[in-house]
Amino acid sequence: MIHLLYKNTFLIFTFLILLGQPFSALNNVKKGIISIETGYTISKVRTANNSKNSYIVASSFEGTVLGISYEGKKLWENKLSGFMNHDIWCADITADGKDEILVANANGTIYCLNFKGETLWSFKKNDAPMYAVHVISKGKESYVVAGGFDKSIYYLSTSGKELKEIKSKTFSIEKPRSMFKKDIPESNVCTSNFIRSVKKADGSKVLVVLGTNNHMNVPGTLYFFKPFEDLPFKKVKIQATPELKKKIRIRPLGDFKTGDVNGDGNEEIILGSSAHANDLLVSTYDMANDNFSFNRITKVKFGYDIAHSVLIKENDKATYLTRVGSQIHLFTPNSTEKDVERLVSTYAYNDMCKDEITGKVIMASAQSGGSCIHIINTESKNWKKEFKDLKPKGKIAEIIENTNLVRNQLKHFKKPSSQNKSQPVYLMTEKVPQSQLALKNEIDRKFKNPMFLNSLHMRNVEKFDRSSLAIEKYRKTRDRRKKYTLSPQEAVNQISNEYDGAPGIAYWAGHGNDPFMFSLSTTKKVLDKANGKKTVLIYPEVEDHSKENLDFLVNDLMYPLAKYSQSKNANVFLRSKNVFWLGSNYLDSWSRLMSGEFADVFVPSMEETTDKSMELSFAGRMGMWTSGAVNGWGTRAVPDNVSFDRSRQLGYQRLPNHFLRMLIFHTANGAQFINNFAVDQDYLSIYWELIAKGALYVPQRNEILSISPVHLSMKDPDHHYLNDGANVKWTAFYDEEFENNNPFVLSRLNGTWPGAPVTEWDFSRYAAGVKERRLNFLAPYENGLVLITPPQNGVFAKKNVRRGKLVDNLHPLYKNSMKEYITDGRNYYSSDGTQTFKANEYYKVIESDLKENSKKLPVTVSGNVAWVVAQTSPNNLRLTLIENGYINPTNATAIIKLNTIKPLKVTDILSEEEFRSDSNSEIKIGIPVGGFRFIDIELSQKM
C-alpha cells in the first residue's frame, strides 16, 4: 500500500486531502528551503500563533506589517504609521488562543494588532523612537513592556494603558568614557536595546533589559527584573574576562535570543554582535551559573552585519545556527573554530527567527533589496545545499535583469555628436577584476574617461620624529590599524612606485585618528615624484572640536599641503562625516578653504557611515562646489554606507545596486572624485561604461538646471546644532522639554533618532522631500536641489573672497533669479542681521517660495525618484532619473512637469522610447526596480 501511494500522484493527493493537509505540502515535503515572494523588502520576521497554528509576521523596510501563511498566502496587511518598525513581538495578551502583534515604531508609538492585522490600540508618550517591546506575565496578568530612546521603560496594560514608567536614571550604570563626558548631557542613563524574558527551570520568567547609551562602542548591561518591579535584582555588564579581552572585542549587540543550550531546564541568553565582519561574536550568558561564553565568527568577507542565531537540534545535540553575512555557521556550545560547519551562499539576509511550533527557521529578505521570505526546514537533508544555491527571486532577480537590459542597450548607444564633453571622473580606489580588464583597457584606450588611478591601502606608514609638532595630541596619537615602521625614504619609494603605468594614484595620507601618518615633508616628496600625474591624498574624518588643535591641524598641515599641491596636479580629498560640509566648514579655522584660495585642491567628500542626513551633506557639497569654494567634489560607496543605526548594522549587500544608483546620481550632478569599495565589480562596471560612452553625462556646474533658485546659506553655525550633528553614536540625548521649546532648522541628527520622522519645519522635509532620518541618499528635491552655501549678501557675507559670487558659477538662467535665506542651523536670520525667525514658523515662507520659484526651472520632477537636469548642448537637456529606494527598491514613476519649455522631442537615449506630454504639460516615465533612465529633451530653440 505504501509503495503504491508513492508511485501514484493521484493517490498521494487524495491521501493528503484525507489527512487535512494542504496540497502545497506535496511539493514542500522534500524541500529544504521555500521562498515566498511578498513584493516588499522584508526587514524583520517573527511567527505568531492562531489557535495552535502558526504563521509568519513580517515588517517591511517602509514599516508595513504583514501576516503570511506558510503556503505563501498574504493573510493581511497593515501599513501602520509609514515609518520603520524597530521591534516586533507576538504573544497572546488577551488569552483567546490567538497572538497579538506588538510593534515598536520609530515615531515613538507602540502599536497592538490582532490576528487579522487590525490595529487594536496604540500608545505614545513622546516623539522619541520606541525601540523594544515584549510581553511578560505576573500571576494571571499579562503586561506589555516597552522602551526606547526617551530613557524610560513602560509597563502597559493589555488594552494599552500606561501602568508604570521606570526611568533608567533609577537603575542604570551606563557611563560615557571620560573623553566624551562633555558631549552628552547626562550619565547613569540608558536606552533599551532589547527587552526580553528568560525562562527558568521552575517555569517562571525574568524580564531582561539590555541597556546601552551608545550604539557604536558600548555593548551595554543586562538588567534583570522580576515582573512589574521597579528595580533590577541583578546587573551584569557584558564583558569578557581579562584574559579573553586580548583575543576578542565585544561590539554592540544586534540580536537577542533565548534557549536552553545546556539542557538544564534554564534558558540562556544568546547575543549576536552588530559589527564589522572581523569583530562578530555569538555571546551566551548562563544566568544560572553567572558566566559568559563566546564563539568568535571567522572567515566572513569584508562587510558589516549582525550575527543572528537560533538553536536547532542536529545529531540530537543543541546546535547554534548562526547567520553571518552570506553564510550560515553551525556549531555546538563547546565547538572550536575548526569544528564550525560553514555554509556559504550568495546573499545576506535582514533577519532570522525560529518558529517554536513548526521548528522552521525563517529568514527575511536579502539585504540587497530582496522581497522574499525564506523558510528553512532543517529536518530536510537538502536544506544545506539549497542554502548554498539560494538565489532569491522577486526584486533581486528583477534588478539583475533590469541592469542587464541597460548593458545590452548600451552596446548600441552612440553619443550624440552635439553633446558637450563630460568632465573627467577619477576612480580613486577601483579594483578591476580579471573579468573586467578588457573593458577597463578599452576605456583607457578609446575613451580616457573615467580614469583609473592606482590605489594604495597601506598597512605600514611612516615613523618619524614628531617632537616638533606643537600640539601634544598629534605628537602622541596613532591609528591602531596601522604599523609605524617606514622610514621617510621607504615611504616615498613605496608610494611613488605606484605611479608607474597609471595616470595617477590615490592613498590615505592621514586620518582623523592620526592626520600625520606621513610627515608633510614626505608627502611633498611624493608629489615631486608624480611628474605631473594626478595624486589624490585621502584624509578621512579630519575634524577636531578643540579650536587649538584644529587651528594647528589646518595651519601646520592642511594649508601648507594645499599650497604645495597647487602646482602638482594634486588634490586633498577630505572625507568628512556628519554635518561637516554644512556646519564645521563654516568655522573660522576653515575660512581659507571656504574662501576659494585652494579651490583647485580641496575636494569635499563624505563618509556617511552612521549618518542620518545624506540629503543635507549632498546639498552642502553641491553648495561648496557651486559657490566656487572648491572646483570639484567627491563621493564614496562602501558597505557601511547603509548604516544609520549601529545596533542593527546590516551592511552586507552583495548586489551593489544601491551603490550604482547613488554613484549615477552624484556623477550626474558633477561629482568627479569617486572613492568606491566595490562589492561586485562585475555588476558595478556598468558605471564605468556609462561614463565612457557618454550616456551618463558629467556636467560642469554652469550646465546644471535642476538647482532651485532658492538657496539656504549658513552663517556661523549654532553650537548645539553642530554638537547634535556630530554625536551620531550616543543614544541618550533625548530631553523632552528642550525638544518642545527649541525648534531647529536642521534637527534630530544625533544617535537618538534612527529612522525617526523629521519635524514639519525641518529643512529635510520641506526642501529635500524626505520624511525620516534614514538613508536618504536619493532624496527627491521635487522643487529642485536646494543648495546650502556660504552667505552671498548682507552682513554675514565674506567680502572680497576669491570664490566670487554663486550666480557667476551657475547657468545663466539663474543670473537674476536667485533668492537667499540665512540660517545657523537653529534659526533663520534677515540678511542685515537685525531679525531672527523661528524655525517652526518661518519655514512656511521658504516652502512657499520654493514651490513658486520652481516654476522658473525648465522642468521639475515628482515621484519616488531622484533627478538631475543638465544642458548637454545649446538645444538639448539631459534628464537623469533614478529610482530612489536606496535599499528598498521598487517600481517608480517620474512625473515630469514642463515649466518653461516646449520640447520638440523627449526620448530615452538608450531604449529610444519616445514620450509625449499630456494636456497638463506633464510626462510620466516609469522606472523599473533598482533602475535609472537617461532622457534627452530636444528643445525647439537654443537655451
Side-chain angles (χ1 to χ4, degrees):
M1 178 67 179
I2 299 297
H3 176 73
L4 289 173
L5 283 173
Y6 275 90
K7 283 288 191 180
N8 193 304
T9 302
F10 175 77
L11 289 177
I12 295 173
F13 175 60
T14 305
F15 182 62
L16 288 171
I17 289 178
L18 290 172
L19 290 175
Q21 299 296 321
F23 181 59
S24 59
L26 176 66
N27 295 319
N28 296 347
V29 71
K30 292 184 179 180
K31 289 286 287 183
I33 299 180
I34 302 295
S35 297
I36 298 172
E37 167 61 17
T38 70
Y40 288 93
T41 299
I42 301 301
S43 300
K44 292 177 176 61
V45 285
R46 302 287 187 269
T47 60
N49 299 338
N50 183 357
S51 301
K52 297 185 180 179
N53 293 317
S54 60
Y55 64 96
I56 300 164
V57 175
S59 175
S60 78
F61 182 91
E62 302 82 5
T64 297
V65 184
L66 304 98
I68 299 171
S69 73
Y70 278 101
E71 290 72 39
K73 181 182 178 182
K74 184 167 72 175
L75 304 173
W76 48 261
E77 176 180 322
N78 189 328
K79 292 192 179 297
L80 224 56
S81 70
F83 296 99
M84 77 171 294
N85 300 312
H86 282 301
D87 194 17
I88 298 178
W89 193 257
C90 304
D92 180 9
I93 64 173
T94 57
D96 63 353
K98 300 173 182 178
D99 280 355
E100 282 68 43
I101 295 96
L102 288 308
V103 182
N105 194 268
N107 72 353
T109 304
I110 297 294
Y111 293 97
C112 179
L113 283 60
N114 66 14
F115 72 100
K116 296 179 181 179
E118 301 163 335
T119 303
L120 296 178
W121 53 260
S122 61
F123 167 81
K124 181 172 181 174
K125 193 67 177 280
N126 49 57
D127 286 341
M130 280 290 187
Y131 203 66
V133 65
H134 193 67
V135 173
I136 197 165
S137 298
K138 183 178 182 181
K140 295 182 179 180
E141 294 295 324
S142 292
Y143 303 101
V144 176
V145 191
F149 291 92
D150 69 352
K151 298 169 285 190
S152 287
I153 300 166
Y154 297 93
Y155 273 84
L156 309 178
S157 72
T158 56
S159 60
K161 303 299 181 185
E162 182 184 334
L163 302 175
K164 179 185 291 190
E165 177 182 3
I166 304 174
K167 293 184 180 293
S168 67
K169 189 76 175 176
T170 63
F171 64 82
S172 175
I173 59 173
E174 307 305 316
K175 295 180 180 180
R177 297 199 299 267
S178 58
M179 63 185 294
F180 293 108
K181 281 186 177 178
K182 66 181 186 305
D183 293 329
I184 68 173
E186 57 182 327
S187 188
N188 291 101
V189 293
C190 68
T191 54
S192 301
N193 189 0
F194 286 98
I195 299 175
R196 295 291 186 259
S197 60
V198 183
K199 186 164 63 175
K200 298 169 71 175
D202 62 7
S204 64
K205 289 189 176 182
V206 172
L207 188 75
V208 186
V209 176
L210 199 172
T212 184
N213 61 0
N214 182 301
H215 64 87
M216 173 69 177
N217 306 110
V218 180
T221 303
L222 296 171
Y223 299 93
F224 294 83
F225 291 81
K226 292 179 180 178
F228 214 69
E229 294 200 353
D230 292 339
L231 295 174
F233 65 86
K234 186 177 186 179
K235 304 175 185 181
V236 179
K237 202 78 176 170
I238 301 171
Q239 58 188 1
T241 57
E243 57 272 18
L244 273 177
K245 283 183 179 180
K246 297 177 182 179
K247 299 179 181 179
I248 63 172
R249 186 178 183 188
I250 304 179
R251 292 288 203 169
L253 286 313
D255 190 45
F256 188 125
K257 301 285 188 3
T258 61
D260 185 1
V261 177
N262 57 19
D264 66 353
N266 295 294
E267 286 186 334
E268 281 73 48
I269 296 171
I270 305 169
L271 303 169
S273 298
S274 172
H276 189 287
N278 293 339
D279 288 329
L280 288 173
L281 291 172
V282 176
S283 307
T284 303
Y285 177 68
D286 182 344
M287 187 172 68
N289 295 300
D290 191 25
N291 64 51
F292 279 99
S293 59
F294 303 98
N295 292 90
R296 189 164 175 264
I297 303 299
T298 60
K299 299 182 181 178
V300 182
K301 292 181 180 179
F302 179 83
Y304 298 81
D305 207 359
I306 300 171
H308 287 128
S309 296
V310 296
L311 277 183
I312 65 169
K313 283 282 187 182
E314 190 165 81
N315 300 320
D316 292 325
K317 293 181 180 179
T319 302
Y320 291 85
L321 187 159
T322 300
R323 187 212 60 80
V324 285
S326 54
Q327 302 180 20
I328 282 177
H329 290 195
L330 296 161
F331 52 94
T332 55
N334 299 314
S335 294
T336 63
E337 287 184 17
K338 67 178 182 183
D339 298 323
V340 175
E341 182 180 4
R342 294 175 175 84
L343 312 177
V344 181
S345 187
T346 302
Y347 295 98
Y349 298 88
N350 285 320
D351 193 19
M352 188 174 73
C353 71
K354 180 184 174 185
D355 185 343
E356 294 301 333
I357 291 180
T358 66
K360 301 292 193 298
V361 176
I362 320 296
M363 293 193 305
S365 297
Q367 290 179 22
S368 300
S371 52
C372 291
I373 291 172
H374 308 279
I375 304 166
I376 302 176
N377 177 10
T378 58
E379 293 183 359
S380 167
K381 65 180 182 181
N382 300 318
W383 82 266
K384 294 178 182 180
K385 181 180 184 304
E386 289 179 33
F387 175 76
K388 293 176 183 179
D389 297 338
L390 183 57
K391 300 290 191 296
K393 302 299 182 184
K395 289 184 182 180
I396 293 289
E398 287 184 61
I399 290 168
I400 294 170
E401 183 180 349
N402 294 335
T403 309
N404 287 338
L405 177 61
V406 174
R407 280 188 188 275
N408 289 329
Q409 291 170 345
L410 196 54
K411 290 177 183 177
H412 308 290
F413 171 72
K414 300 293 184 184
K415 183 178 72 173
S417 59
S418 61
Q419 182 170 310
N420 296 337
K421 186 179 180 181
S422 279
Q423 289 202 93
V425 173
Y426 303 99
L427 302 179
M428 298 157 43
T429 50
E430 215 78 11
K431 300 295 183 186
V432 181
Q434 189 67 33
S435 58
Q436 297 302 322
L437 195 56
L439 174 61
K440 187 261 185 190
N441 290 338
E442 180 189 14
I443 291 171
D444 288 343
R445 183 182 69 256
K446 189 174 178 181
F447 301 103
K448 303 189 186 320
N449 193 28
M451 283 181 269
F452 295 80
L453 304 184
N454 269 359
S455 172
L456 290 83
H457 188 73
M458 300 176 68
R459 173 68 169 155
N460 294 69
V461 295
E462 184 183 2
K463 181 180 181 180
F464 65 97
D465 182 6
R466 300 193 184 201
S467 61
S468 62
L469 300 182
I471 296 295
E472 182 182 18
K473 173 182 176 179
Y474 296 121
R475 287 198 301 270
K476 291 185 175 181
T477 189
R478 301 292 186 273
D479 190 309
R480 64 180 177 82
R481 296 166 293 187
K482 303 293 182 181
K483 292 183 178 180
Y484 292 78
T485 62
L486 301 180
S487 70
Q489 192 58 52
E490 286 174 331
V492 171
N493 292 343
Q494 185 173 331
I495 297 168
S496 60
N497 285 342
E498 295 297 319
Y499 286 111
D500 292 344
I505 64 172
Y507 70 100
W508 274 23
H511 187 282
N513 293 333
D514 179 18
F516 291 92
M517 287 179 179
F518 300 94
S519 64
L520 180 57
S521 62
T522 293
T523 303
K524 286 180 176 181
K525 289 175 183 176
V526 170
L527 297 182
D528 291 339
K529 293 273 191 178
N531 293 321
K533 289 187 174 183
K534 174 64 71 178
T535 308
V536 183
L537 305 168
I538 302 173
Y539 283 90
E541 302 182 50
V542 176
E543 184 172 12
D544 201 309
H545 295 282
S546 160
K547 187 175 186 333
E548 181 184 11
N549 290 353
L550 182 56
D551 283 347
F552 173 79
L553 178 62
V554 297
N555 292 324
D556 284 63
L557 178 61
M558 288 296 161
Y559 292 146
L561 181 57
K563 187 72 175 175
Y564 197 80
S565 296
Q566 285 181 312
S567 61
K568 301 292 182 179
N569 191 20
N571 294 95
V572 177
F573 186 85
L574 294 177
R575 202 174 81 192
S576 302
K577 297 190 77 169
N578 312 318
V579 294
F580 188 96
W581 297 118
L582 53 144
S584 302
N585 57 322
Y586 292 100
L587 297 173
D588 286 342
S589 301
W590 291 107
S591 59
R592 291 178 69 186
L593 181 158
M594 295 303 296
S595 73
E597 179 183 352
F598 304 111
D600 54 342
V601 174
F602 284 119
V603 175
S605 185
M606 285 298 293
E607 188 164 334
E608 305 274 16
T609 59
T610 323
D611 286 3
K612 304 166 188 66
S613 50
M614 293 75 181
E615 73 283 0
L616 302 179
S617 67
F618 170 59
R621 282 175 286 164
M622 286 289 289
M624 291 271 292
W625 181 48
T626 53
S627 75
V630 294
N631 290 336
W633 69 282
T635 191
R636 179 183 186 236
V638 72
D640 54 346
N641 265 21
V642 300
S643 172
F644 62 97
D645 174 6
R646 291 278 187 166
S647 291
R648 306 291 183 270
Q649 173 79 321
L650 295 163
Y652 212 83
Q653 286 77 10
R654 298 294 94 182
L655 177 66
N657 174 260
H658 58 312
F659 286 0
L660 176 61
R661 283 178 289 130
M662 184 200 78
L663 291 172
I664 288 172
F665 180 52
H666 287 178
T667 309
N669 272 287
Q672 295 174 264
F673 294 82
I674 312 302
N675 185 187
N676 181 36
F677 188 104
V679 173
D680 181 352
Q681 284 291 40
D682 287 325
Y683 177 84
L684 201 65
S685 60
I686 190 174
Y687 170 65
W688 316 340
E689 198 170 1
L690 287 166
I691 296 169
K693 292 191 173 181
L696 174 51
Y697 182 69
V698 191
Q700 299 183 57
R701 53 195 164 196
N702 64 0
E703 294 175 323
I704 299 176
L705 283 161
S706 46
I707 292 169
S708 169
V710 177
H711 69 104
L712 190 67
S713 287
M714 183 68 65
K715 65 182 284 292
D716 296 337
D718 175 79
H719 175 73
H720 186 278
Y721 153 65
L722 273 185
N723 192 54
D724 193 55
N727 281 297
V728 296
K729 300 172 185 175
W730 297 99
T731 62
F733 280 97
Y734 186 75
D735 182 328
E736 186 171 3
E737 183 179 358
F738 183 88
E739 292 291 332
N740 290 339
N741 295 311
N742 292 273
F744 277 73
V745 173
L746 304 162
S747 62
R748 297 188 174 179
L749 298 166
N750 66 51
T752 298
W753 302 100
V758 296
T759 63
E760 181 73 11
W761 53 87
D762 196 292
F763 174 91
S764 293
R765 201 275 313 164
Y766 75 80
V770 304
K771 68 175 189 176
E772 61 190 2
R773 286 286 175 233
R774 180 168 59 145
L775 301 183
N776 294 303
F777 285 97
L778 299 168
Y781 278 103
E782 291 185 359
N783 297 307
L785 171 61
V786 184
L787 300 172
I788 300 176
T789 71
Q792 299 295 302
N793 303 295
V795 298
F796 302 113
K798 303 292 184 185
K799 303 296 187 278
N800 302 316
V801 287
R802 292 193 194 183
R803 66 172 184 265
K805 289 287 188 181
L806 172 69
V807 292
D808 294 335
N809 295 315
L810 297 177
H811 191 281
L813 177 144
Y814 297 97
K815 196 68 176 178
N816 298 308
S817 62
M818 292 299 285
K819 187 166 185 180
E820 177 178 42
Y821 289 94
I822 296 169
T823 186
D824 63 353
R826 180 192 287 256
N827 299 308
Y828 297 102
Y829 300 87
S830 61
S831 61
D832 62 7
T834 62
Q835 293 178 281
T836 302
F837 309 102
K838 289 186 176 179
N840 60 342
E841 297 171 357
Y842 199 61
Y843 81 95
K844 295 178 182 178
V845 175
I846 308 176
E847 184 173 24
S848 176
D849 226 357
L850 285 169
K851 292 177 180 177
E852 186 61 30
N853 278 275
S854 70
K855 298 173 185 176
K856 298 176 182 178
L857 298 178
V859 302
T860 47
V861 182
S862 59
N864 50 331
V865 296
W867 59 285
V868 191
V869 178
Q871 187 166 6
T872 57
S873 80
N875 289 87
N876 295 85
L877 304 181
R878 178 68 49 80
L879 170 60
T880 302
L881 299 170
I882 303 107
E883 186 264 300
N884 76 349
Y886 187 61
I887 57 172
N888 63 317
T890 187
N891 289 307
T893 300
I895 304 170
I896 296 108
K897 178 71 175 174
L898 304 175
N899 295 317
T900 63
I901 58 171
K902 292 186 177 180
L904 290 175
K905 199 173 181 182
V906 178
T907 311
D908 183 313
I909 65 171
L910 295 181
S911 71
E912 299 182 356
E913 181 181 359
E914 191 172 338
F915 307 94
R916 299 189 183 278
S917 62
D918 60 21
S919 57
N920 296 316
S921 296
E922 287 186 352
I923 299 172
K924 293 183 179 179
I925 299 178
I927 307 169
V929 174
F932 43 88
R933 299 185 79 160
F934 306 103
I935 309 299
D936 177 71
I937 302 175
E938 185 180 345
L939 305 175
S940 57
Q941 56 186 16
K942 292 182 179 181
M943 200 168 172

